[in-house]
Amino acid sequence: MRIIRTIDEMRAAVREARRAGRSVGLVPTMGAFHEGHLSLMRRAREQNDLVVVSLFVNPTQFGQNEDLSSYPRDEARDAALAENEGVDVLFAPSAAEVYPDEFATSIHVSGITDVLDGASRGAFHFDGVATVVTKLFGIVRPDVAFFGQKDAQQILVVRRVVSDLDLDVRIEACPIVRETDGLAMSSRNVYLSPEAREQATALSRALDAASAVRESGERDGERILDAARRVLADAGITPEYLELRDALTLNTVTRVDSDALLAVAARVGAARLIDNHILKGDR
């Protein structure tokens, strides 16, 4: 596996692959790999000749009071894990390489960034995501890019960027990978104390409870949400948000007639965690 740190070298590696007629898959990450990341790498390996994993803690998607400085970083560990999964290139640029001093462009996606994490964290968050992902697509020019369904809103934002800017890349969303007790795998789980770690399982249990109500035939949004609220309240968790949104538009849903995104965010101990389920509609 090659570790590449400059845009020029990354582009050269892709040009070489293209000349040989090889397909290119990209897994964008911020490092601190866990099984969720590794599952994306395996999916990319199955489908592509050249697999590129980007490792870049993107400063533009963090707010002033967020965890940029403390975000877990261990490049040596991440590189070993990526190599073990058959990754061809680990693209690990510096912040100065991605955002040189004269950098003055930001990409903003309207509408779907105004709710959920956009409302909770601020518009800057998805501006930062959209901008860095667009840069990565321009540098790597992948045939397909792989993202985890845990970041459901992020996937919708990236798909909108791809559609609106006519970018020639397919976006593949891969299933959430969970611990045996249901907790969605996240790099931020390392912040959890043993007590908080146990408390955090309430997020997935809340989503499971709401999903069970929907699967029983219930369509009313408030009744579905109430099942999740009770589980969170019993665990002593006050969510930043717990909402039902249309799975494609993120419009508010009051009845689950078509597919809906049930999304939750909450601070548990020292970690801010997100999770979601897709509730199937009848049409």
Side-chain angles (χ1 to χ4, degrees):
M1 186 185 72
R2 297 172 61 186
I3 298 178
I4 292 178
R5 301 194 185 278
T6 69
I7 292 170
D8 286 346
E9 188 181 355
M10 185 68 252
R11 283 178 167 157
V14 172
R15 282 196 299 270
E16 180 181 354
R18 293 297 188 194
R19 282 195 295 268
R22 304 175 72 198
S23 61
V24 179
L26 171 65
V27 181
T29 84
M30 294 203 300
F33 294 159
H34 52 68
E35 184 60 30
H37 296 109
L38 303 185
S39 72
L40 301 182
M41 296 176 203
R42 291 178 200 127
R43 185 75 66 93
R45 181 73 283 164
E46 290 170 359
Q47 297 183 22
N48 298 275
D49 300 313
L50 180 74
V51 175
V52 179
V53 173
S54 63
L55 194 167
F56 179 64
V57 181
N58 178 35
T60 64
Q61 69 189 67
F62 288 79
Q64 287 186 347
N65 297 319
E66 294 188 331
D67 58 341
L68 174 60
S69 62
S70 62
Y71 195 84
R73 294 169 172 86
D74 189 340
E75 184 182 300
R77 173 185 174 275
D78 287 345
L81 289 170
E83 186 168 23
N84 191 57
E85 296 299 335
V87 170
D88 299 298
V89 175
L90 186 70
F91 179 44
S94 67
E97 181 73 10
V98 177
Y99 300 115
D101 289 341
E102 67 274 17
F103 190 84
T105 299
S106 179
I107 295 177
H108 176 71
V109 178
S110 299
I112 58 173
T113 62
D114 296 334
V115 300
L116 302 178
D117 258 27
S120 184
R121 298 184 67 176
F124 71 87
H125 172 66
F126 286 117
D127 291 354
V129 169
T131 302
V132 78
V133 168
T134 302
K135 288 209 67 169
L136 288 171
F137 289 171
I139 295 164
V140 179
R141 298 191 179 278
D143 296 289
V144 56
F146 299 83
F147 294 84
Q149 180 61 34
K150 184 172 72 69
D151 297 302
Q153 186 176 14
Q154 174 177 280
I155 292 172
L156 293 176
V157 170
V158 171
R159 282 183 167 151
R160 175 54 61 186
V161 170
V162 167
S163 175
D164 288 353
L165 300 184
D166 299 308
L167 303 181
D168 190 17
V169 55
R170 177 170 62 86
I171 305 303
E172 182 161 333
C174 301
I176 298 172
V177 177
R178 300 183 179 277
E179 303 284 0
T180 56
D181 58 8
L183 181 66
M185 290 191 178
S186 169
S187 299
R188 290 183 167 96
N189 287 351
V190 299
Y191 299 154
L192 296 169
S193 67
E195 296 77 17
R197 172 68 181 72
E198 182 175 357
Q199 185 185 25
T201 63
L203 271 66
S204 62
R205 289 189 285 108
L207 298 180
D208 288 342
S211 297
V213 172
R214 169 66 193 105
E215 289 166 5
S216 73
E218 182 61 65
R219 295 184 183 181
D220 182 78
E222 279 303 306
R223 292 176 183 171
I224 293 169
L225 287 170
D226 278 344
R229 291 181 185 121
R230 287 193 293 272
V231 174
L232 294 176
D234 287 346
I237 294 175
T238 301
E240 285 188 10
Y241 61 75
L242 173 66
E243 299 184 31
L244 271 173
R245 297 274 173 174
D246 182 273
L248 296 178
T249 66
L250 296 188
N251 291 335
T252 300
V253 168
T254 57
R255 286 178 58 82
V256 182
D257 295 316
S258 55
D259 289 359
L261 175 69
L262 173 63
V264 63
R267 292 197 175 275
V268 181
R272 181 185 185 274
L273 305 176
I274 61 173
D275 202 348
N276 68 81
H277 278 192
I278 299 294
L279 304 186
K280 292 298 182 180
D282 297 321
R283 63 170 186 261

